[in-house]
Amino acid sequence: MKTPVKNRLEWTVFGVSLLLIACVAGWLVTQMVGTDQPSVRLEVTPAESRRASQGYDLAVDVVNTGDVTAESVRIEVTVPSAGGPERRDAEIEYVPYRSKRRVWVTFDADPSTSRPTARVLSYHER
Amino acid sequence: MSMEREAPLPAAESLREYGRGIAGGFLFSLPLLLTLEMWAAGASFSPARLLAGLLATLVLLCGYNAYAGLRFDSTFTEIVIDSVEELGLGLALSAILLALLAGASGLLTGREFVGAVITQGLIVAIGVSVGTAQISGEGAGQGSAGRHLTLASEVVLALCGTVLVAANVAPTEEVILMAGRMGPGRLLAVMAISLALAAMLLYHSGFSGSARFAGTRRQEVVEGAIITYATALAGSAALLWYFQRFDAGAPHMAVAQCVLLAFPGTLGAAAGRLLLR
């Protein structure tokens, strides 16, 4: 087989390109290994809160540890308060697999003085 | 991206070739790089789908370089080397631009970023390949002399044109929206217009490159239009599969989307057969 005639720059570009493609392909193959039954696995966790102009904003982290992207994820967040629990719904357009999304939900009561809870109501598998 | 030669090119000339490729990569793919639907698609694709896209693009690049690269007399090894370079450049350019636009703004992070880089990089790579061969500098276009166009080469060029044009539309919601509202009558009309467009562009447009189609018999016009349209349909179906547009499972929706996407795809396919040489 005849060796192509190339200068050093061209061989360098080829070498780096080959390495890049091999790394990308290798990474994709490792991501595929061990995925027998791909599914969405969502974990919802209330995080920090902050004072807003009207009430309080509570951050809620939605983590998808599964291997399938979740779309139209609806969550319910509850903050206990003296006048009864405050419930809010929020929707996230999509949470890619093995990724995290953060949504901010507004409450009248201060979430930092109680133990807020959150749960997933529904989602679509992509 | 260099082709068969007796002596290595000077580094400055190689840089000019890469410059042409980079210009082509951005020219043909910048609208996609700045489309949020593309970012979202890449971020949510499964590794298997991304890998399939990577391999399919490498095959398409090899086909393009075999039939429309800088020179017609490249060896198989040179075609593969050029294709690897172009794919690598496409991925690198996509990574740099997305890091500037999406990474810095926090819109894409970690694994999502890698997925978006791969999806966008594939289109950039085709742009790099076309840019290198088509936005040719002095003497670079001489390679097409002596090239014999066959049915296989025409189909590959039409496929490249389809991907470059239809990829701009395939990930958008508009295709699904329109497909859901169009009945068989309208879809047949779109098919007829697409076929007529292919025939007009190839045989009656007078565009650059159409001279070799001039004076052909009516049967050849029909055959040429059908081949171009069929390639556009097949390319559109592959793009729609890649962008997960068949997941709803309804056959009517799948066919309707293919017909709709093949309309711009036919423009690309005909332009590919005329211009990508």
Side-chain angles (χ1 to χ4, degrees), chain A residues 21-52:
Chain A
I21 294 167
C23 287
V24 168
W27 181 79
L28 290 172
V29 170
T30 58
Q31 295 282 305
M32 287 163 65
V33 172
T35 307
D36 297 331
Q37 287 242 304
S39 62
V40 169
R41 281 201 293 272
L42 293 170
E43 293 167 10
V44 193
T45 318
E48 79 253 28
S49 63
R50 65 190 178 199
R51 180 92 208 198

Side-chain angles (χ1 to χ4, degrees), chain B residues 28-53:
Chain B
F28 292 112
S29 66
L30 207 53
L32 276 177
L33 281 167
L34 300 175
T35 303
L36 277 179
E37 279 123 325
M38 277 294 284
W39 296 7
S44 61
F45 283 172
S46 68
R49 192 171 294 268
L50 291 170
L51 193 61

Side-chain angles (χ1 to χ4, degrees), chain B:
Chain B
M1 285 181 285
S2 58
M3 298 288 175
E4 190 173 28
R5 332 158 171 136
E6 294 305 317
L9 280 180
E13 182 54 35
S14 300
L15 278 174
R16 270 194 288 276
E17 269 189 26
Y18 291 126
R20 284 200 295 272
I22 290 167
F26 283 141
L27 183 68
F28 292 112
S29 66
L30 207 53
L32 276 177
L33 281 167
L34 300 175
T35 303
L36 277 179
E37 279 123 325
M38 277 294 284
W39 296 7
S44 61
F45 283 172
S46 68
R49 192 171 294 268
L50 291 170
L51 193 61
L54 195 72
L55 294 175
T57 305
L58 190 58
V59 170
L60 189 63
L61 288 174
C62 286
Y64 178 78
N65 285 321
Y67 295 123
L70 277 181
R71 291 179 190 278
F72 72 94
D73 54 352
S74 304
T75 64
F76 177 75
T77 311
E78 288 166 331
I79 287 167
V80 172
I81 287 176
D82 287 347
S83 304
V84 166
E85 278 186 17
E86 287 154 2
L87 188 53
L89 273 176
L91 291 171
L93 290 174
S94 166
I96 292 167
L97 207 69
L98 281 182
L100 280 171
L101 298 174
S105 56
L107 288 169
L108 292 170
T109 53
R111 200 214 59 76
E112 300 171 59
F113 178 78
V114 179
V117 164
I118 295 170
T119 299
Q120 312 260 34
L122 305 182
I123 308 292
V124 181
I126 297 172
V128 169
S129 183
V130 172
T132 306
Q134 304 297 321
I135 311 173
S136 47
E138 193 179 345
Q142 292 165 354
S144 61
R147 197 191 300 278
H148 297 290
L149 288 168
T150 61
L151 179 64
S153 67
E154 295 276 342
V155 168
V156 167
L157 297 184
L159 203 55
C160 283
T162 300
V163 171
L164 278 176
V165 174
N168 286 286
V169 187
T172 62
E173 294 292 328
E174 282 78 359
V175 179
I176 296 179
L177 198 69
M178 286 187 286
R181 294 176 184 213
M182 290 183 79
R186 287 182 181 218
L187 291 171
L188 279 171
V190 172
M191 287 180 78
I193 291 170
S194 302
L195 276 163
L197 201 61
M200 194 267 287
L201 280 170
L202 288 174
Y203 300 98
H204 302 292
S205 66
F207 280 154
S208 166
S210 64
R212 68 192 165 92
F213 295 108
T216 44
R217 291 179 292 122
R218 188 174 296 174
Q219 185 193 339
E220 288 171 321
V221 173
V222 173
E223 283 175 8
I226 288 174
I227 289 169
T228 304
Y229 185 61
T231 309
L233 263 181
S236 300
L239 281 170
L240 287 166
W241 172 83
Y242 186 66
F243 287 108
Q244 295 183 301
R245 296 310 193 191
F246 294 153
D247 287 5
H252 166 77
M253 280 297 287
V255 174
Q257 288 183 84
C258 286
V259 170
L260 282 173
L261 190 61
F263 177 55
T266 303
L267 280 172
R273 291 185 65 183
L274 289 176
L275 307 174
L276 305 182
R277 287 171 298 121

